[in-house]
Amino acid sequence: MKIPLLCLLFVSALAAAGAAEQKVVVAMMPKAKGNAYFISCKAGADIAAKELGAELLFDGPVDTNAAKQNEIVENWITLGVDVIAVAAENKESLSTALRKAQRQGIKVIAFDSDAAPDARSFFVNQATPEGIANTLADEAARLTGGEGEIAIITATLTASNQREWLKRIEPRLAEKYPRMKVVAVRPSDDLKDRAQSEATALMSAYPDLKLIMAICTPGVPGAAEAVKQAGKAGKVKVMGLGLPNENRRYVKEGVTDCVILWNTGDLGYLTAYTAVKLVTGELKPGATSFKAGSLGEKRVVGDNVLLGEPFIFTRDNSDRFNF
Amino acid sequence: MKRPTTGAAPGWRRIVFRYETLLVVLLVIEWLVFYRFGTSTNRRGIVVGFGTMERQFDILRHSCEIGLLALALTPVILTAGIDLSVASVLGFCAVVFGRLWHDAGLPVWCAAGATLLAGAAAGGVNALFIARFRLPPLIVTLGTYSLFRGLAEALTRGAVTYTDFPVGFLFLGQERWLGLPTQAWVFLVVALFIWTLVHRRMTGRVFRVIGFSPEGARYAGLAVGRTTALAYVMAGAIAALAALIYTARLGQAKADAAVGYELFAITAVVLGGTSIFGGRGTVPGTLLGIAVIAVLKNGLAALPAVIRLNAAEESAGLLTGMLLLVALALGAAPKLLSARRPRTPLPENLPIPKSP
Amino acid sequence: MRRRELAVAGVLAVLLLVLALRAPSFFQGQPLRSLLTREAPVLVMACGMTVVILTRQIDISVGSQFSVCSVAAGLLAAHGWPIGAVIPFAVFLGFFLGAVNGALVAGLGLPSIVVTLATMVTLRQGLNLVQQGEFVNLPDRVQWFGLEQTPGQWSVLAIALAVLAGSAFALHSFAAGRHFYAVGSDAEAARLAGIRPRRVTFAAFAGMGALCGLAAVMNIVQSPQVQPLAGAGLELKAIAAVVVGGVAISGGRGSVWGGAIGLLLLACIPSALTHLRIEAYWEKAIQGGIILLACATEIARPRAKKSPPAKAAAA
């Protein structure tokens, strides 16, 4: 293969001449770009790109789709971007494409959900699946007093992040809170309306239900609306993963008890920052910390750049978040 | 853009005014536009974008599965049928393959063979209802569209993703053989097979006759049931083949494989000039339809303006939809001009019956 | 067709009976009313779909039309339009979208499945391009048309029932209604009988669009946010409901009541599975099975009653 060789030659020649005047091109791929979670990621990344004078491409499937992610990465490879940042829908399938990118001299990092470790240089880690699952389980236990029936609403039965979390929530509950029981797991197709119907059915099928946990962002407002319409606000607790703006109304009304979230804007900012600094050589493998613009000093553990702890969004702090 | 209505037109006209010629012209224009505006030199001095060989191979690799489904649908649509379930059968077969290889421990090539049989059997379910019981294909395959996707989910409880396939199998989806991506060869063989069947064998003629008039075909003593069944069983088997390629390309088998591909495949067939009412259509047309869509989708993703919008997929979908509308409207234009007046004029002296 | 409607009603009755025995909690007033209210918009669309299929056409762009109308209506409401102005706007926008389909199908004589496939993709992707999946937040007064929840739910249900009863009455008792049956059975014969098939076809699509607009409003008043993805997959649900309910895809046969029963059956399944403690993994497979089963009741029909050969070809 001559191309990588030529590519290397060019890179070294250019580096020697110091002629790299064009902007660094950062290509960032969410799992689903219509998802509010990733929309606010992009807003953060845009700020970082502006500060650093980089160009940001932000594209991904409209709804989670491993095959489309592959195709987009392959497009970027032939487009010759400088660095690719991905939130991998499926580790296995995307990593093949990412390794190909690395062979062509493109830097690769992952954010939100990791790719295979050898297919990327860094992972911008907002939380491990364990972290999310444990926080969800612990909050559920806090709200229910550690006992009773709970139901879970997911995006689709096949979405991989949902599986990761589910797989960890149930053992955590069994181990720490044996008197809590997951009675049903229902899909919502990432549709708020469907989540509402499912929550309504769950409440009537399980009259002793104490809590509905939605682990996809459209699910939380959907479940909350159902609980509100059933007049069971307070009796059936609602919690889940979501964004402040979609849930503020219900949190203020006391229907939704808590929403767990990351500062997704910061996640996007940190990802874009890491990406650019990796290209310019200011962040090298083996570093233990690096300065990420307005976020200040961030810890690097191994090849994980850590964002920090999740927020728990409740009635008391609902006005502090605007995203 | 006119189709020849009589055989009396001079030879050059018959070629120039063919629908396929229009598609070829469209394809060339597309390609040139993307080559001109979608290729550039990046800051490392490398030629990047649409013009690279790598990119052309990507187009081939990414369009193989939808292409196979479109090929599978061509005979079905020729018989005035439709198969909405092809992508669901693909998902079902991907899961069956994963299970046979991973859980049942079959050697990978045995599992692949069994998967092809499973696909044919799934097509057989459609065939049973459509050819044997003569139920409308749209409804039957709407049912199996849910059924097979549902079975795939039930078999894996939605959760299982089969990975770590042997390198020899992944070769099918990720490597090149004799200069072309491996799956392109599979695609070519299937295309040749379908072409032979539709254009060089009696079966192809029977497909068309059924499409024009199944009763007529029956009176003519043709094996209507058997030939219709063949089209659906074949569609199932080809969907299974596409499942293997999809699995090999991504290195994973999961219940949500190829969700929504049926729409792209039907679009490709119809854009290729096959009449949805049956009886009329060609395999080269389908191939061109696939190529036009695939180049459009990939090329748009290389255009700077589209990249800046961050909307390659949406713009490709939007343009494909509009292209289909324009192709349809153009196709209807000559017919409309000639058929402005109704065929049987209303009897002038008789009063029009008033509806009670 | 009477027979098919009875068969589907029978399946529904069996399902309800099983629920009554195994999970009587299904029949509680409020959750049941919520379930029905949630399905009311789909019922309105199923009525329109019945008419389209009766005229031997199909419209698979209804989910996209629904989404476009939802988002447009939601944005207007968010900009302070009163709900009284939003409703006619949404209906008119839907009418316009349906009229485009109608013009292409009836005016140019193009196959409806392909035309609406194209408009489905175009509208959906156009919406994605503009809205990028972001939710639209609605002001409080939009929910339940500004009424309390219970009267709000009843009014949504009342609109749906009015559309159902109105279309059933119109199809059955007005000459214009029976034109749909005539065109669906045999367009050429209808023409010779003095009916204008193109106008009838156009009307079916434009009416379908207007009903999509109405359904979109009936949906956005049920919660304070509009999700642009809402409506994805509704086309299959509406079509499945109608054909399960015995409306022949080959045109000219069936009724809106059949469509309503079919929808009721399909709508009960997810909720019934929850109540019967069956795992969600089987849901799609069961839905597919029921569609096939409903089809299979046709097998028992004596062949002689089948529609003439030309019609079978169009199916």
Side-chain angles (χ1 to χ4, degrees), chain C residues 4 9 22 44 76-77 85 101 127 156 173 207 214 241 249 298 315:
Chain C
R4 164 71 89 78
R22 297 281 307 277
V44 169
L76 286 182
N101 283 335
L127 185 64
V156 170
S173 308
L214 181 64
I249 204 84
E298 287 288 285

Side-chain angles (χ1 to χ4, degrees), chain C residues 154-173:
Chain C
W154 283 119
S155 51
V156 170
L157 282 172
I159 296 175
L161 288 176
V163 170
L164 175 66
S167 49
F169 181 71
L171 278 178
H172 200 259
S173 308

Side-chain angles (χ1 to χ4, degrees), chain B residues 1-68:
Chain B
M1 191 36 239
K2 248 182 239 168
R3 288 176 206 218
T5 41
T6 54
W12 64 271
R13 280 182 116 182
R14 226 180 297 168
I15 294 173
V16 172
F17 289 140
R18 275 183 79 92
Y19 184 69
E20 282 85 353
T21 318
L22 181 83
L23 285 178
V24 171
V25 172
L26 184 63
L27 188 61
V28 170
I29 292 174
E30 251 183 16
W31 202 88
L32 288 177
V33 167
F34 292 137
Y35 187 83
R36 169 70 186 77
F37 297 104
T39 314
S40 59
T41 312
N42 78 347
R43 65 196 192 96
R44 279 171 277 166
I46 308 159
V47 175
V48 295
F50 187 78
T52 56
M53 256 345 253
E54 193 66 26
R55 191 87 177 200
Q56 303 302 315
F57 286 139
D58 279 349
I59 296 180
L60 267 180
R61 292 197 301 119
H62 296 165
S63 52
C64 269
E65 296 112 23
I66 292 178
L68 282 173

